[in-house]
Amino acid sequence: MPKHIRLISFLVACSLWSMPKAAHAQALVPHTLQLDPAKLEKQGLSLAQEAAQLGQFQQFELALPRARLASQLAPQNDKVWFLLGGLQLQTKDFDAAIAALKKAQSLNPKNPDVLFALGSANFQQEKYQAAISNYQAGLQLKPNDPDGLFDLGNAYYMLNRLPDAIAQYNKAVSQDKKFWPAINNIGLIKYEQGDTEAAIKQWQSAVSIDKQAAEPLLALAVALYNKGDASGELRLRQQALKMGESALRIDGRYGDLDFLKQNLWGERLLSDTKKFLELPSIQAALQQSERQQPTQ
């Protein structure tokens, strides 16, 4: 599964629109130009709402200017800063994102999602120990959050603290039985440890939860093909090829080894996948996926 860079929940950010609006100023001094703070904040919240909606459609170039202006018009609203930091995080403007998120944290220290977002910023910069500290702090406020547990597991994974990673993945699944990304990543670890059968079981479980999940389907195909190749089982190899073709039709990005590496696939699995991707029927599936890509 991808590093699971936590995408800021725009729905959470949008919850600020249900907040009571500040009352308008009751009177203005005659002949004196004054700015109405309540009106400015209302305009800021409206801009933030637009930014959030644009962000949902990944229109970040349009969303960011609105979010920046919103933070100026409603500087005491932590959710506006949270939204701005989230947009900056997704455009990989890490320094600006961290500054905005820390501003949100100063206004509302009890928001675990801000801490999780700070963890994502550090994770993307490969500051894994700092990310662990952020995730742990977020989980102190929201201990049963599957995404937070999964993110913490990924940070442990990157530091090769594999038992700790598996423990967090299992905690995530205990909170959400259908959280297949954590199941998938346990499979990634097991495969690198040479426990192919355990990895296969994990990926089979993930696929049974979501048949459109391309990643565990491709990993399962690679593992089964190697198993069939070693044992001489033609039927198993044929089954694996069909799985691989299906996975690549679902998401052709998984035919890119660099993409797989970014998604935490280890050296052993990458090596086996490279051979698998070179098979004629898999090459054909990849070419078909590339032809269809512009219309998807």
Side-chain angles (χ1 to χ4, degrees):
M1 182 65 187
K3 294 176 182 178
H4 194 73
I5 304 308
R6 176 183 287 263
L7 299 181
I8 301 305
S9 171
F10 292 107
L11 295 178
V12 172
C14 283
S15 68
L16 60 91
W17 322 135
S18 63
M19 294 174 58
K21 302 295 189 233
H24 286 204
Q26 296 301 307
L28 293 176
V29 178
H31 311 297
T32 301
L33 179 62
Q34 292 188 349
L35 296 177
D36 186 333
K39 287 184 177 179
L40 291 176
E41 182 178 15
K42 185 176 181 180
Q43 290 173 351
L45 297 182
S46 178
L47 282 168
Q49 184 181 34
E50 290 180 23
Q53 291 169 344
L54 289 165
Q56 286 179 309
F57 294 98
Q58 299 185 1
Q59 299 293 318
F60 300 126
E61 291 184 4
L62 297 174
L64 273 167
R66 289 168 170 80
R68 290 193 189 97
L69 183 54
S71 70
Q72 296 174 25
L73 296 174
Q76 299 305 309
N77 191 302
D78 64 285
K79 293 177 182 177
V80 171
W81 287 103
F82 176 56
L83 173 63
L84 175 59
L87 291 168
Q88 291 166 329
L89 180 58
Q90 293 185 68
T91 56
K92 301 188 184 302
D93 188 355
F94 298 122
D95 290 340
I98 289 172
L101 292 169
K102 285 187 174 179
K103 177 65 175 179
Q105 185 184 22
S106 72
L107 293 169
N108 183 7
K110 298 298 183 181
N111 186 345
D113 290 317
V114 173
L115 289 162
F116 292 141
L118 284 167
S120 292
N122 281 311
F123 191 105
Q124 291 188 70
Q125 297 179 91
E126 300 182 3
K127 299 176 181 178
Y128 302 121
Q129 192 57 56
I132 287 171
S133 297
N134 294 140
Y135 294 141
Q136 289 175 332
L139 287 166
Q140 286 181 354
L141 297 171
K142 195 176 181 182
N144 297 324
D145 182 63
D147 287 314
L149 293 164
F150 179 70
D151 290 342
L152 178 57
N154 285 340
Y156 283 137
Y157 186 141
M158 297 307 294
L159 291 179
N160 205 36
R161 294 173 57 176
L162 301 183
D164 291 329
I166 290 175
Q168 296 305 316
Y169 293 148
N170 281 325
K171 286 181 182 179
V173 177
S174 71
Q175 297 302 320
D176 181 357
K177 301 298 183 185
K178 294 186 177 181
F179 198 96
W180 66 260
I183 297 170
N184 174 82
N185 280 20
I186 294 174
L188 296 180
I189 292 175
K190 294 295 184 182
Y191 199 86
E192 293 308 304
Q193 292 176 330
D195 193 346
T196 302
E197 289 302 319
I200 286 173
K201 289 179 181 179
Q202 292 292 320
W203 292 326
Q204 286 173 332
S205 177
V207 171
S208 70
I209 293 170
D210 185 353
K211 291 180 172 53
Q212 292 300 304
E215 180 173 358
L217 186 58
L218 180 61
L220 179 60
V222 172
L224 290 177
Y225 187 88
N226 277 7
K227 182 179 178 180
D229 198 32
S231 63
E233 296 180 60
L234 177 60
R235 183 176 298 180
L236 189 56
R237 293 202 302 273
Q238 291 174 335
Q239 178 189 5
L241 288 171
K242 289 181 180 179
M243 287 182 178
E245 292 165 8
S246 296
L248 295 172
R249 281 195 295 268
I250 293 169
D251 192 338
R253 294 176 301 169
Y254 286 94
D256 182 346
L257 292 174
D258 288 335
F259 182 75
L260 296 177
K261 188 173 183 178
Q262 293 169 12
N263 284 263
L264 307 186
W265 286 38
E267 292 302 321
R268 179 170 181 254
L269 184 55
L270 286 171
S271 176
D272 292 341
T273 303
K274 182 177 184 298
K275 299 172 185 175
F276 185 77
L277 293 174
E278 292 170 352
L279 296 170
S281 63
I282 300 301
Q283 280 291 308
L286 273 173
Q287 291 171 7
Q288 181 182 7
S289 177
E290 290 172 359
R291 288 195 298 270
Q292 294 175 345
Q293 190 64 34
T295 60
Q296 288 179 348

